[in-house]
Amino acid sequence: MTVKTTIIKNGKITDEIFDNYQPAFGKYPIDGVFKYKYGTADFPEERLYYNSKEDTLKVKYFFTKNNIRKQETWESERRSKLRKGAPEYGDGKPGGCIPAEEDLIRYRKWVKRGIFIYESSDNRLNTIKVCYDYSGNYPESIVFTYKDDLLINKKALGMRGKRINWEENYEYKDGKVIMTKKNYITYWGKIPPTEKWTYEFDSNKREIKVTKELEGQLDKEILSKEYYNNGNLKRLTKTINGTETTIDYLVTYR
């Protein structure tokens, strides 16, 4: 059994506990705990994640008039230093190059990994500026384009706007939202296939079905959602390739 437990106090999520939980569209199960910290606003100002492997991450959120303006990601990094009085280590030193374990002090330090600056106008998000402290295929900015107040395009740009890492195009028809995501740079040695996501809604504008398809592959993943009369989520059912594989996510409330 895979379990995700959400604890809500005073209408706010305070904890999310994952026990071998398999996300509906994720490749790997999640174990660990997310703890949320709130200030005076209804939105969390910090989210802390930790697990049995001692991985510790946190996200800090900054708001202005209930609109997010900045997000920071932090990692509790494992570090070590020589204890006071330890012999000298290094090339040509009597102790050699590798310090003995008893001469090391192990500790952790919070290190800021990423900064996201949100730029909005007319109550809609226009740009997210991205800054990481290490190299990689990370975008420098994500740009949003609208038409008639509907999002129609989202681009992740790199190399000072000269390269498109990926882009998403949105269509709205027959009560559905169709998002097509195309990748332009390699991840893990290859360019990921184009993704097509179709979102369907009921008369109450609740999401009831999500379909994921990958270009050049026959696999089709469908996630269906059922609700109680009071609007609470009741059940999620994921179907892969027709009826070949079906996974049910049952939702209970206490």
Side-chain angles (χ1 to χ4, degrees), residues 29-161:
I30 301 175
D31 285 287
V33 178
F34 287 95
K35 294 187 74 69
Y36 294 84
K37 178 183 176 182
Y38 294 83
T40 57
D42 292 333
F43 304 98
E45 63 181 20
E46 182 177 294
R47 185 186 74 180
L48 176 68
Y49 170 76
Y50 59 91
N51 59 27
S52 60
K53 297 179 182 179
E54 298 185 354
D55 296 323
T56 309
L57 307 168
K58 68 181 175 183
V59 180
K60 292 185 176 181
Y61 306 94
F62 303 84
F63 294 88
T64 300
K65 296 181 179 179
N66 288 332
N67 290 321
I68 187 167
R69 60 178 176 84
K70 186 171 75 168
Q71 175 183 318
E72 297 176 351
T73 58
W74 294 72
E75 179 180 359
S76 181
E77 190 177 81
R78 294 179 176 89
R79 295 189 175 187
S80 63
K81 62 181 179 181
L82 287 173
R83 65 172 177 81
K84 187 177 181 179
E88 290 187 59
Y89 289 92
D91 190 19
K93 301 294 183 181
C97 294
I98 302 176
E101 184 63 34
E102 60 267 23
D103 289 328
L104 290 174
I105 298 174
R106 306 286 185 178
Y107 67 100
R108 283 179 173 270
K109 181 179 181 180
W110 281 109
V111 179
K112 189 185 297 185
R113 289 303 189 194
I115 301 175
F116 304 80
I117 305 295
Y118 295 78
E119 298 181 347
S120 304
S121 63
D122 299 326
N123 290 321
R124 67 185 186 191
L125 182 60
N126 295 322
T127 306
I128 303 175
K129 292 184 177 179
V130 185
C131 178
Y132 285 91
D133 74 335
Y134 47 86
S135 60
N137 285 329
Y138 298 105
E140 297 166 357
S141 63
I142 300 173
V143 180
F144 300 76
T145 303
Y146 300 86
K147 182 179 180 180
D148 299 328
D149 291 329
L150 293 175
L151 176 66
I152 60 171
N153 181 270
K154 186 193 301 184
K155 283 189 179 73
L157 304 177
M159 296 179 64
R160 298 180 182 177

Side-chain angles (χ1 to χ4, degrees), residues 4 21 122 125 148 206 231 241:
K4 172 188 173 185
Y21 180 77
D122 299 326
L125 182 60
D148 299 328
R206 297 177 300 196
N241 298 333

Side-chain angles (χ1 to χ4, degrees), residues 109-217:
K109 181 179 181 180
W110 281 109
V111 179
K112 189 185 297 185
R113 289 303 189 194
I115 301 175
F116 304 80
I117 305 295
Y118 295 78
E119 298 181 347
S120 304
S121 63
D122 299 326
N123 290 321
R124 67 185 186 191
L125 182 60
N126 295 322
T127 306
I128 303 175
K129 292 184 177 179
V130 185
C131 178
Y132 285 91
D133 74 335
Y134 47 86
S135 60
N137 285 329
Y138 298 105
E140 297 166 357
S141 63
I142 300 173
V143 180
F144 300 76
T145 303
Y146 300 86
K147 182 179 180 180
D148 299 328
D149 291 329
L150 293 175
L151 176 66
I152 60 171
N153 181 270
K154 186 193 301 184
K155 283 189 179 73
L157 304 177
M159 296 179 64
R160 298 180 182 177
K162 297 179 181 179
R163 180 186 70 192
I164 301 177
N165 288 18
W166 51 260
E167 73 172 326
E168 297 175 355
N169 289 295
Y170 294 80
E171 298 178 73
Y172 303 83
K173 56 183 180 181
D174 302 326
K176 301 177 183 178
V177 179
I178 302 171
M179 187 274 284
T180 303
K181 180 176 181 179
K182 185 173 180 60
N183 296 282
Y184 297 98
I185 61 175
T186 58
Y187 295 88
W188 306 106
K190 62 180 180 180
I191 297 179
T194 297
E195 305 171 17
K196 180 181 178 182
W197 296 73
T198 303
Y199 302 86
E200 300 180 40
F201 305 86
D202 63 12
S203 58
N204 294 315
K205 297 183 179 180
R206 297 177 300 196
E207 186 178 87
I208 58 172
K209 186 176 179 181
V210 182
T211 303
K212 177 187 177 183
E213 301 170 87
L214 299 179
E215 185 180 54
Q217 299 184 21

